[in-house]
Amino acid sequence: MTANWEPLHSVPASQASLTGGYWGARQRINRTVTIPAIYQQLERTGRASAWMLRESDERHDHRIVHKFWDSDLGKWLEAVGYSLMSQPDPELERLADGVIQAIAAGQLPDGYLNSYFTVIEPDQKWRNLRDWHELYNAGHLMESAAAYYQATGKRVLLDALTRYADHIDERFGAEEHKRHGYPGHPEIELGLVKLYRTTGERRYLNLAKYFVDERGQSPHYFDIEATERGEDPRKFWFKTYHYCQAHKPLREQTTATGHAVRAAYLYAGAADVSGHTGDSTLLDALRLIWDDLTSKQMYVTGGLGPAHANEGFTFGYDLPNESAYAETCASIALVFWAKSMFDIDPDSRYTDVMERALYNGTMAGVSYEGGHFFYANPLTSYPYVNPHAHFSGINTAKHYRREEWFDCPCCPPNLARMVANVGAYVLSHSADTLYVHLYNPGSVRASLPGGQVRIEQQTDYPWAGDIQLTVRLDQPAAFSLALRIPDWCPGFQVRVNGSTTGADVQRGYARLTRTWNDGDTVELALAMPVERIAAHPKVRHNAGMIALQRGPIVYCLEEVDNGAELANVVIPRGAVLRADVDNALFGGVGVITGDAIRSVPAAWSGGLYQPQRVLRDENQPVTFKAIPYSLWANRQPGEMRVWMREG
Ligand code: FUB
Ligand code: ZN
């Protein structure tokens, strides 16, 4: 079924100036520490120069190790593009231009563009879409090309990637003479849609749609290509195509399944395709999957994918804390998907999740100082004895601090591009409605048919719920300003030009419809109490426990503030919980304090188990301090818990 619709518009990062507050500070750290630190790692590991190697180059065999190196460089270039949009930096631009020249010079005459398969295994191109990430790399480079062109107007990367897209389009598609393949790791769908939006070339959108439509069809392409390689398709190393969401066509899928990053990239790309093609059957499927994911398979932090084995989903309500995988990239992908869903189905059910994943699951992935990263994001950490010490990336006795880099470093540059582009997530707009999703000091400009509108914001969000918005216009204009009333907010008030106004809340947004004049002000007061969050009774890992949340921020206890053995800290049901801003901590962040008890059984004889009748409970009164989960592991190493015992 197709309908006549277009997705809502986002504003590019160039139109958003997040001058201060939470995102202003994080973008400054991203620009000054994270982006340069990642480049150093790209250079140290040979990724930045891989494109200059040639097949005949003897250095190549030990320098190119990953089939998806290009994706890391692509994400870094994309981050640079977004960063340049809001903060010109000639030196950074020169560095990126050099990298881009090398990439373009590495392009083969037929348009093919992939450092690994150009240099290391030139005769293996396109032989294994299931595992070898060629289309995944292409997608990341396409996204970077669109961003870099928008930032600088320079076409070198864009031209290289449109040539590559043409090359791919000639090879894959529904036509008889083309291969009926699609990526094992979705991503190219997102890249092709961005190329389409940037160039207007509809073939790129059609190809993205083809990749979505063909996925999981029979005869199964991954079987066909495996047979062509002389392999038995039944011996697929992961055993099931659920892993890559190719077990059946997407329109027949109802649950979030398999590898979490692959899944969320696919869903985000499919949402974009649905938006631009008006295909409501895709939207119907995505809504079902969204409901499954957000009501049964998402951590309170917006983390996705509990399992290490598949880096992904298991089954409903299976959300272990200590062994959670919850890859940083998966939360970022959820942010992408949520925004794409909102833009075709405007409802705060998407942007509420977007905000949760952004402030918690995503931002936990980078240290406060900006140069260290988490790959997995557990919700409980007991660093001295972690049974999963053999998994890289999880916090273990050896690895419980964030790392400067990983063998598979997909998360750091993903985080850098997300933070650099967060301005694009502040609002969406149609011809007559401006939806404000995120609250942060600064301004965002949007073009409506009546002219440019600039929305300025002043606020201490996410540490306080008062937001002052000022509308800036060249001439009066009639439109609706729709302000998100977050799902965590139990009550709100709106004043327009100082007068309390009743607002019509539709699908989670308070709509103020009027003819706006330059300088009109809106004050939005969102009640932001500390909330004790309980998990669904089927989440067995959280039985009898609560998590603390205030506004969009999920909090945690750390050993450095509360002592060790946090499992013994019990928050009484009636305890008064105080919210403050601690100006001495991380430049000023929200903290929650209150009275708790430490339940320590006295007279423990030393054995591992004892009959309870011989014990006497000794409840020591203590005070506790909780900090934002995203900021854990920035001070002395130690335990951490999001879910705490309640008594
Ligand atoms: O395979 C490419 C990326 O590496 C995935 O998205 C991550 O989960 C990691 O496996
Ligand atoms: Zn990752």
Side-chain angles (χ1 to χ4, degrees), residues 160-211:
L161 267 300
T162 54
R163 281 184 62 211
Y164 192 23
D166 295 342
H167 174 90
I168 295 169
D169 186 40
E170 279 157 23
R171 177 167 289 263
F172 298 103
E175 295 88 336
E176 197 69 31
H177 66 284
K178 293 184 180 178
R179 303 279 297 173
H180 297 169
Y182 49 87
H185 194 314
E187 157 60 30
I188 191 167
E189 301 81 356
L190 292 163
L192 284 165
V193 170
K194 285 191 176 162
L195 273 194
Y196 161 65
R197 288 179 182 153
T198 308
T199 64
E201 175 54 75
R202 196 145 183 112
R203 272 186 305 115
Y204 303 147
L205 175 64
N206 294 342
L207 184 57
K209 178 166 170 10
Y210 174 76
F211 286 142

Side-chain angles (χ1 to χ4, degrees), residues 68 133 136 185 259 261-262 265 311 327 329 375 408 410:
F68 49 100
H133 285 46
Y136 167 82
H185 194 314
H259 182 280
V261 183
R262 291 175 200 235
Y265 280 176
E311 301 188 288
E327 182 180 341
C329 283
Y375 190 122
C408 168
C410 46

